[in-house]
Amino acid sequence: MKFTFATVAVSLLAAASSVLAAPTRRDPVTTYTDTDILQFALTLEHLENAFYTGALAKYDEEAFVKAGLPSFARGRFTQIGEHEKQHVSLLSGVLGAQATAACNYSFPYTDPASFAALSAILEGVGASAYSGAAPQISDKTYLGVAATILAMEGRHQAWVASAALHDQPWSGPEETPLGLNSVFTLAAPFITSCPSTNPTLPLKPFPTLTGSPANASPGTTVTYSWTGSENGSGAFYAVYYWGLSVQSVPLKDGKAEVPAGLMG
């Protein structure tokens, strides 16, 4: 399903090939400390930093141009990578001894074009993560730091989508806020292992989800299937998030129609 930031509880970023999501509801109501939130933010920034560092070391400007990207694209991606590196440094400095270390990662890009497409997804997830976490941050100084990073993640996503991919740079007038478990669900497939000394975050990814057809549009009926404990009895819903809007559609035999007007 090709929704990038108009995300769906049962199909969070199904445009990414391996996706986990919740088939029935938003994140459970959980109280996180400011340290929990900043540690998770740092976990995401480490992931983004590794993503750009690895790809830019692998592909030169010629490779980007041969992949159909603008001649200036690699230079801009280099700047974005430097921004993510600075975000790691900033959050590490705020957390001090409680900072999380980088993990090991595996990203499914195979060329500069697929790298750019995944970049747009990761930057959008980052913006949604900070938007969702902001109301739970108590310390105003920390909130200010998060706001500056949120703004830059949104700029990154808009540039990649429009200038590099020639696609829609936004999905509506508001960002789509996501809870920490939803964001962790999207990040987890890229993390292969982490240092044993890293703090244990109070997060849990949702069960694995698939949707067919993979590239759906509003008005299309999608068949969903998932694994895990959510396969119990009772009513299930496809819950679509777009900006600050939430639309629930009952699942009938595992199927739901994508609401009209949904953008992503």
Side-chain angles (χ1 to χ4, degrees):
M1 175 170 299
K2 194 176 180 182
F3 292 116
T4 50
F5 314 112
T7 50
V8 191
V10 296
S11 58
L12 284 170
L13 289 175
S17 61
S18 176
V19 186
L20 305 174
T24 55
R25 55 180 178 271
R26 280 185 179 268
D27 287 10
V29 177
T30 304
T31 300
Y32 301 104
T33 67
D34 285 356
T35 298
D36 290 335
I37 294 171
L38 294 184
Q39 286 175 333
F40 183 52
L42 179 54
T43 297
L44 296 178
E45 298 297 346
H46 276 308
L47 185 151
E48 290 181 306
N49 183 39
F51 171 71
Y52 289 105
T53 299
L56 292 170
K58 187 174 183 179
Y59 304 122
D60 59 13
E61 182 176 332
E62 183 180 1
F64 274 78
V65 173
K66 285 184 176 179
L69 293 163
S71 58
F72 57 82
R74 190 182 185 282
R76 289 287 189 269
F77 279 116
T78 298
Q79 291 179 326
I80 293 175
E82 291 171 349
H83 293 169
E84 304 302 353
K85 182 178 180 180
Q86 173 58 26
H87 295 169
V88 168
S89 177
L90 176 61
L91 292 172
S92 295
V94 171
L95 286 165
Q98 294 180 299
T100 55
C103 299
N104 294 311
Y105 311 95
S106 178
F107 300 104
Y109 58 78
T110 56
D111 55 25
S114 56
F115 156 76
L118 185 53
S119 168
I121 290 175
L122 292 180
E123 295 295 340
V125 171
S128 290
Y130 282 100
S131 297
Q136 300 187 61
I137 299 176
S138 300
D139 188 290
K140 299 303 181 184
T141 299
Y142 293 166
L143 181 59
V145 170
T148 63
I149 298 176
L150 164 60
M152 193 54 64
E153 298 285 346
R155 291 185 182 187
H156 291 166
Q157 184 277 322
W159 177 83
V160 176
S162 59
L165 301 179
H166 306 293
D167 202 352
Q168 176 79 354
W170 46 71
S171 61
E174 296 94 21
E175 187 56 77
T176 301
L178 293 177
L180 269 63
N181 282 321
S182 293
V183 176
F184 185 54
T185 293
L186 298 173
F190 304 118
I191 302 173
T192 58
S193 64
C194 292
S196 59
T197 53
N198 270 3
T200 300
L201 298 175
L203 303 172
K204 182 180 179 181
F206 293 128
T208 303
L209 173 92
T210 57
S212 180
N215 292 296
S217 58
T220 302
T221 296
V222 178
T223 301
Y224 296 107
S225 61
W226 56 90
T227 62
S229 60
E230 301 290 354
N231 273 327
S233 60
F236 289 85
Y237 297 83
V239 183
Y240 297 84
Y241 302 126
W242 171 37
L244 301 179
S245 300
V246 180
Q247 298 186 54
S248 299
V249 179
L251 284 179
K252 297 180 180 179
D253 298 322
K255 299 178 181 181
E257 182 176 303
V258 180
L262 197 69
M263 296 177 61

